[in-house]
Amino acid sequence: MCGLTSKKLEEKMAKIMLLNLLRTLLILIFAVWTILWFLKPTKIWTKNWKKVEDSMQTTIFKYNGVYFVVYTFLIILLAMIGLIYMYMQPMRSIKRGVRRCLAALHNPIIVKTPFGMLTGIDVIAMFLIITLLVWTFYARISNDFKKLVPAQHMKLNIWQLKLLRISTRFGLLAEICLGFLLFPILRGLSIYRLLGIQFEASVRYHIWLGTTLTFFAILHGAGTLFIWGINHQIQNQIWSWQKEGRIYLAGGIALITLLIIWISSLPLVRRRKFDVFFYMHHLYVVFLVLFLFHAGDKHFYMVFAGVFLFAIDKLFRLIQSSPETRIHSVRIFPSKIIELTFPKDQRLNYTPTSIIFVKIPMISKFHWHPFSITSSCTVNDKTMSVMIKSEGCWTNSLYDILCQEVESNSQTKCVPVAIEGPYGPPSFDFVRYDNLLLIAGGIGITPMLSILQELASAKGDLSNRCPSEVQLIYVTKNSQDISLLNPISHLVLNQPSEFCHLKLKVFVTRENMANLSLKELLSSVSAGRTILFNMKNSNYSFGRENINPLWMGAITGFSSAIFLLSLCFFNQFLFSPKMKSSKPRTPSSVVDIFLLCSFLIAVACSTVIAMVLKWRNSKTEREMLSTTWDNEGDLKLSAMEEASTNTLEEQNEIHYGARPIFKDLLRKMESEFKGSNVGVVVCGPESMKDSVASACQQKCRQAFNFDSKQQQQPQQPFFVFHSLNFSL
C-alpha cells in the first residue's frame, strides 16, 4: 500500500515538474518572439539579417526557410506547447490562495474610456503594442530621412519625398497590426487561454487591432495616392504590374476590401444587420491574398503565423461541428427565454464559464452564435444546456420554432443542431479564492449557474478547497426572470451540508411585490414548460469525435513541416535557373504564388489527417443514442430541484423597485470577508460592470494601503474583479 502511494506521489511530482518545464518554455519562446519584433527595425538586425539571408541562398531552404523559421514557426511552436500545457493543466492540484500583486492585473485600472473598461492586462497589452508601433515608426523613418533617394521615374521635392516615406511606413505599422490581428479570435489553438483571458474578452483585442489596422492602412493609401496625384503618376503606378516589386493595384483593392470589412463590423451594422456583417467579414480571404501580392512574400511572413494558425484552427472547428446532433429537450421560460439541452459524450469535460457556438440549420446554414453553458459536466454527464434570450432575428426565429413544437406536443420531429466548442479556461480557478461574490444581471445569470453547480457537485474532490462562502446578487427587471434560478433552487432552499455557505440577494427593479418573500416567489414563479424530443433517430452525441489536444498540436506541427518542405520543392525544382542562382532583390508574384500553393498543400494534408482521426473515432466509438438515453432519467435533477421544501435562511433577501449600490454592498461585506481574498465575478449590462468595477477598484486601493501600514489596522478584504460576457 505504501509502495502504491509512493508511486502516485512520484507521478504527481513528475507531472508538476513537466508543467513547470512547459511553462518556462512558453515564457522563453514568447520573450524571444517579442524581442524579435523590437529588434527588426534596428540597423544591427538589418545588417546581420542580410548576411543570414545571403548564406541561406546556397541551401535548399533559400531565404524562405529562414523567414518562416524565425518569424512564423516560433509562434506556431508556442501554440503547440500551449496545447500540451492546457491538456495537462487539469491534472494539476488547485492551490488555495491568491498572489495579490498578480491578481491585481485582473482588476480595472480605468473604468470609463472610449475603449471600455481597461484592466491591468489590457493596459500592459496596449502599452506593448503602442510601444512597438512607435519604436518601429521612429527607427524606420529616422533611417529613411538620412538616406533620401528620389525615384528615377518621379521628380519629387524633399517634402514630397518625406511624405511618401512616411506614408510607406504607415503601411508597415498596418502590417504589424495585421500580424497580431488573428491571434485573439483563435478558439481551439487560442494562446489567450494560457493567460486566463476568455474568448469573449479577447475579441475586444481583435476589434482594437482591426480598427488600428484600418486607420494606418488609410493613411498609407491616402498619402501615397496624394503624392502620386500631385505628380500625375496615379495611372502609371496603379496599372503597372511589376515582375519584381510592389503590385499597387492589389494594394488598392485590398484597401477597399478592408474598408468594407471594417464598416460592416461597426456595432450599428453588426447588431442590426448581422447577415451583412457575417458575409462581408469573409472577405478577409480576398484581403489576405491581395495583401500577399501587394507586400510580397517577405513581408507576408510577418503576418503568416496568425494566418496559418487561424486556417488550422478553422479546420479543426469545421471537422468538430460537421456531424449534426439533435436538441434533446427544450424548456420555455417567461420573458421569451428558452433553455436548450443537448446530448453530449460522457467523456467530454469542460469548466464553468465555458461557451459553445450553436448553429440551427433550420434558421441559417452559416450563422454561428455563442452562448454560455449553464450546466456542469460533473452533474450532467450526458447532457449540456444553454439559456437563450430572444432579442434578435435569429433568436426570435429559434423561439418561434420551438414554441410551435411545444404547442404541438410532438416528439417525432427532431430539431437538428450543430455545436462547436466548448471553449473556456483549462481549469476551474475560482475555487482558489477564500470567498466568491457572483453578480449577474438578466440573462447574465447563465455562467453563474454553471459555477454554483460545479461547486455543489465537487464534494470530496474540492470540498477542502471550496470558497467558504458564496454570495449571489441577481438583478432583474421583473419577477418572472427569477425562474432562471430554477437549476440552483435546491441549493438555495435546501443547502447540502457539503456545499459552501450560499447567500442570495435578488433585486427586482421594475416591480413592487413587497408581500412576497423570496421563497414564495421561487415557488410561485413558473419554472417553464418542458418538452422532450424523440432521440431514436439520432446517432450522434456532441463531443464524441472531438480531436484530442495532443493530436491538434501534432497536426499543427506536421502541417508547418509540410509547408516548409513544399517551399523547398518549389525553390529547388520549379524556379528558373536564373532565380536559383541569384536572390531576387524584391518579392515577385511568382514567389507569392508558390507560397500560396505551399500553404494550400499544408492545409490539405492537415485536413486528410484530421478526417482520418475523425473516421477512426467514429468507427471505434459510435454508439446509438437510443440505447443510452433515458429521457426520464435525464430530468431527475429538475425533479430534485422542484422537490425542495426547506425554508430559506434569513440572509437570503429580495428587494423590489430598487437597484443595488455596489459600493455600499462591498463596504458592508468588509466585516464578513475580513482579511480574505474575494473573487468578484460579474456578468450583465455594461453599466452594471462599470459600477462593480469602480467599487472593486476603490477597495483594491484601500487593501494595498492597509497592507503597506504593517497591519496596524484590521486587514482589508482583497476583491479580484472578473468580467464575463454573454454577447459579442
Side-chain angles (χ1 to χ4, degrees):
M1 190 71 177
C2 294
L4 184 62
T5 304
S6 176
K7 185 178 180 180
K8 290 183 178 179
L9 182 61
E10 290 178 359
E11 291 178 354
K12 183 178 180 181
M13 293 299 297
K15 291 174 183 177
I16 293 175
M17 290 179 62
L18 181 57
L19 280 170
N20 291 332
L21 177 62
L22 292 175
R23 188 186 301 115
T24 304
L25 279 175
L26 289 170
I27 294 173
L28 288 176
I29 294 172
F30 179 77
V32 171
W33 184 66
T34 305
I35 291 172
L36 286 179
W37 279 98
F38 282 92
L39 284 178
K40 189 175 181 293
T42 62
K43 294 180 181 179
I44 298 176
W45 177 268
T46 303
K47 182 179 179 181
N48 289 279
W49 184 252
K50 288 181 178 179
K51 294 179 180 179
V52 174
E53 201 175 350
D54 292 336
S55 63
M56 290 297 295
Q57 282 301 110
T58 59
T59 67
I60 191 175
F61 295 102
K62 299 293 190 287
Y63 71 90
N64 307 89
V66 68
Y67 268 85
F68 176 77
V69 171
V70 174
Y71 291 119
T72 300
F73 187 70
L74 277 178
I75 197 67
I76 294 176
L77 183 63
L78 186 70
M80 292 167 57
I81 298 177
L83 283 171
I84 301 173
Y85 181 80
M86 288 187 289
Y87 176 75
M88 295 188 64
Q89 195 176 18
M91 304 177 188
R92 183 186 61 182
S93 59
I94 302 174
K95 298 180 180 180
R96 283 295 296 272
V98 176
R99 294 182 180 180
R100 294 193 171 187
C101 293
L102 295 178
L105 295 176
H106 292 278
N107 279 340
I109 302 298
I110 307 174
V111 176
K112 294 182 179 180
T113 70
F115 304 101
M117 183 193 313
L118 297 180
T119 65
I121 295 177
D122 297 334
V123 172
I124 292 174
M126 293 181 67
F127 174 78
L128 288 175
I129 292 294
I130 293 174
T131 303
L132 176 60
L133 293 174
V134 172
W135 162 246
T136 302
F137 183 78
Y138 169 77
R140 293 294 189 183
I141 206 66
S142 59
N143 186 53
D144 290 342
F145 284 178
K146 294 176 182 178
K147 301 177 181 179
L148 287 176
V149 179
Q152 296 180 357
H153 56 283
M154 285 193 299
K155 297 180 180 179
L156 301 178
N157 298 328
I158 292 297
W159 72 269
Q160 294 174 347
L161 194 58
K162 287 184 177 181
L163 182 58
L164 183 61
R165 299 307 299 168
I166 291 174
S167 301
T168 302
R169 294 312 175 189
F170 279 144
L172 183 60
L173 300 186
E175 177 186 301
I176 293 175
C177 295
L178 181 59
F180 294 98
L181 181 66
L182 298 177
F183 294 133
I185 54 174
L186 297 176
R187 299 178 190 174
L189 300 177
S190 176
I191 303 172
Y192 282 82
R193 287 193 293 166
L194 295 171
L195 301 174
I197 300 175
Q198 292 195 328
F199 174 75
E200 307 102 308
S202 64
V203 169
R204 290 195 307 160
Y205 301 154
H206 176 73
I207 295 173
W208 296 345
L209 289 168
T211 303
T212 309
L213 162 65
T214 306
F215 173 73
F216 285 126
I218 291 174
L219 293 179
H220 169 63
T224 304
L225 289 175
F226 174 75
I227 297 300
W228 288 351
I230 61 178
N231 286 274
H232 308 288
Q233 292 290 329
I234 293 181
Q235 187 172 358
N236 294 335
Q237 294 292 328
I238 205 70
W239 292 110
S240 61
W241 188 282
Q242 298 91 334
K243 294 182 179 179
E244 293 182 359
R246 312 232 179 259
I247 301 174
Y248 297 120
L249 178 61
I253 302 175
L255 178 58
I256 296 173
T257 306
L258 179 62
L259 287 173
I260 294 174
I261 295 173
W262 181 75
I263 293 173
S264 64
S265 302
L266 295 174
L268 183 65
V269 180
R270 186 179 71 250
R271 293 172 182 171
R272 297 185 179 181
K273 299 290 183 180
F274 184 82
D275 289 348
V276 176
F277 159 76
F278 181 81
Y279 293 113
M280 291 299 102
H281 224 65
H282 283 77
L283 290 175
Y284 70 85
V285 178
V286 178
F287 170 75
L288 290 173
V289 173
L290 292 172
F291 174 80
L292 169 62
F293 284 100
H294 172 63
D297 65 326
K298 292 184 180 180
H299 283 270
F300 194 73
Y301 282 115
M302 305 299 106
V303 307
F304 188 62
V307 176
F308 189 86
L309 288 178
F310 179 78
I312 301 299
D313 187 73
K314 186 76 171 178
L315 167 65
F316 291 146
R317 287 154 47 189
L318 290 174
I319 292 176
Q320 178 195 17
S321 60
S322 58
E324 289 184 355
T325 183
R326 301 290 186 268
I327 296 177
H328 173 253
S329 65
V330 58
R331 182 183 296 180
I332 309 294
F333 288 96
S335 303
K336 298 189 71 175
I337 295 175
I338 55 178
E339 180 184 30
L340 304 182
T341 301
F342 311 106
K344 83 171 184 69
D345 189 84
Q346 298 183 26
R347 294 161 297 180
L348 178 65
N349 294 318
Y350 55 84
T351 52
T353 71
S354 295
I355 65 169
I356 58 172
F357 284 76
V358 179
K359 180 181 71 174
I360 308 292
M362 295 176 62
I363 302 176
S364 174
K365 294 183 178 180
F366 304 104
H367 289 189
W368 292 87
H369 294 265
F371 300 103
S372 298
I373 300 176
T374 59
S375 57
S376 167
C377 64
T378 54
V379 176
N380 311 95
D381 59 343
K382 294 194 297 183
T383 60
M384 179 172 58
S385 303
V386 296
M387 286 185 180
I388 303 174
K389 187 171 185 179
S390 302
E391 292 181 324
C393 295
W394 190 90
T395 51
N396 280 322
S397 299
L398 176 62
Y399 181 82
D400 294 337
I401 291 173
L402 295 176
C403 283
Q404 292 175 4
E405 294 297 320
V406 172
E407 292 174 359
S408 65
N409 288 322
S410 173
Q411 291 188 344
T412 58
K413 184 178 180 181
C414 292
V415 179
V417 58
I419 303 175
E420 177 194 318
Y423 303 112
S427 62
F428 186 38
D429 285 341
F430 290 125
V431 295
R432 63 195 174 112
Y433 293 107
D434 302 318
N435 300 281
L436 268 181
L437 174 60
L438 309 179
I439 302 174
I443 196 63
I445 191 65
T446 51
M448 311 304 176
L449 300 178
S450 64
I451 292 176
L452 289 171
Q453 291 183 84
E454 185 71 21
L455 290 174
S457 65
K459 295 183 179 180
D461 185 25
L462 294 176
S463 59
N464 295 327
R465 295 186 293 271
C466 279
S468 57
E469 182 176 315
V470 178
Q471 291 200 21
L472 173 61
I473 299 176
Y474 183 41
V475 184
T476 181
K477 294 179 181 179
N478 54 71
S479 58
Q480 288 183 331
D481 287 344
I482 297 179
S483 61
L484 300 182
L485 297 174
N486 182 261
I488 60 166
S489 61
H490 66 289
L491 299 178
V492 178
L493 298 168
N494 186 20
Q495 293 192 21
S497 58
E498 68 275 1
F499 185 58
C500 49
H501 194 52
L502 174 63
K503 293 182 180 180
L504 174 63
K505 292 182 174 63
V506 178
F507 291 82
V508 183
T509 59
R510 294 187 179 180
E511 291 183 7
N512 190 358
M513 303 171 64
N515 294 328
L516 287 180
S517 64
L518 184 55
K519 177 189 174 182
E520 294 171 338
L521 194 57
L522 278 172
S523 303
S524 63
V525 173
S526 172
R529 185 179 177 185
T530 303
I531 182 172
L532 301 176
F533 290 94
N534 190 346
M535 300 297 293
K536 292 182 179 180
N537 297 325
S538 178
N539 60 353
Y540 176 76
S541 59
F542 171 69
R544 175 178 298 163
E545 298 175 3
N546 282 7
I547 300 177
N548 187 290
L550 297 180
W551 275 109
M552 291 172 62
I555 293 174
T556 303
F558 172 78
S559 58
S560 62
I562 291 295
F563 173 80
L564 189 57
L565 290 175
S566 300
L567 280 179
C568 294
F569 172 79
F570 289 130
N571 282 331
Q572 193 69 15
F573 299 106
L574 297 184
F575 282 175
S576 63
K578 181 179 179 181
M579 294 182 70
K580 284 184 182 181
S581 59
S582 60
K583 174 174 66 68
R585 186 179 60 182
T586 50
S588 68
S589 58
V590 176
V591 180
D592 299 338
I593 293 174
F594 286 155
L595 187 148
L596 185 60
C597 291
S598 300
F599 170 71
L600 295 176
I601 291 172
V603 173
C605 292
S606 302
T607 303
V608 172
I609 296 177
M611 292 297 292
V612 169
L613 286 174
K614 175 187 172 183
W615 173 80
R616 188 191 67 174
N617 293 340
S618 176
K619 182 179 179 181
T620 58
E621 302 175 5
R622 184 171 296 275
E623 301 170 353
M624 297 299 292
L625 286 178
S626 58
T627 62
T628 59
W629 281 97
D630 180 6
N631 288 337
E632 295 180 359
D634 293 328
L635 293 181
K636 289 180 181 178
L637 181 62
S638 299
M640 179 182 66
E641 294 165 2
E642 296 173 0
S644 305
T645 56
N646 285 16
T647 58
L648 280 171
E649 298 182 7
E650 294 181 357
Q651 63 266 19
N652 296 324
E653 306 170 1
I654 183 167
H655 304 271
Y656 295 98
R659 297 179 182 273
I661 302 176
F662 294 106
K663 290 184 178 180
D664 295 341
L665 289 175
L666 263 61
R667 184 170 59 251
K668 293 178 181 178
M669 295 177 186
E670 289 181 357
S671 58
E672 300 179 51
F673 297 150
K674 184 169 60 175
S676 64
N677 299 312
V678 184
V680 182
V681 187
V682 186
C683 186
E686 292 300 322
S687 57
M688 172 187 288
K689 291 181 182 180
D690 291 344
S691 180
V692 177
S694 298
C696 289
Q697 185 182 44
Q698 181 181 357
K699 294 302 176 183
C700 183
R701 292 172 181 171
Q702 291 179 1
F704 277 117
N705 290 335
F706 283 129
D707 290 345
S708 64
K709 295 178 181 179
Q710 300 179 354
Q711 299 183 354
Q712 294 177 359
Q713 302 184 40
Q715 188 180 8
Q716 296 292 303
F718 187 75
F719 294 93
V720 183
F721 181 85
H722 296 273
S723 175
L724 303 177
N725 295 328
F726 55 86
S727 63
L728 297 180

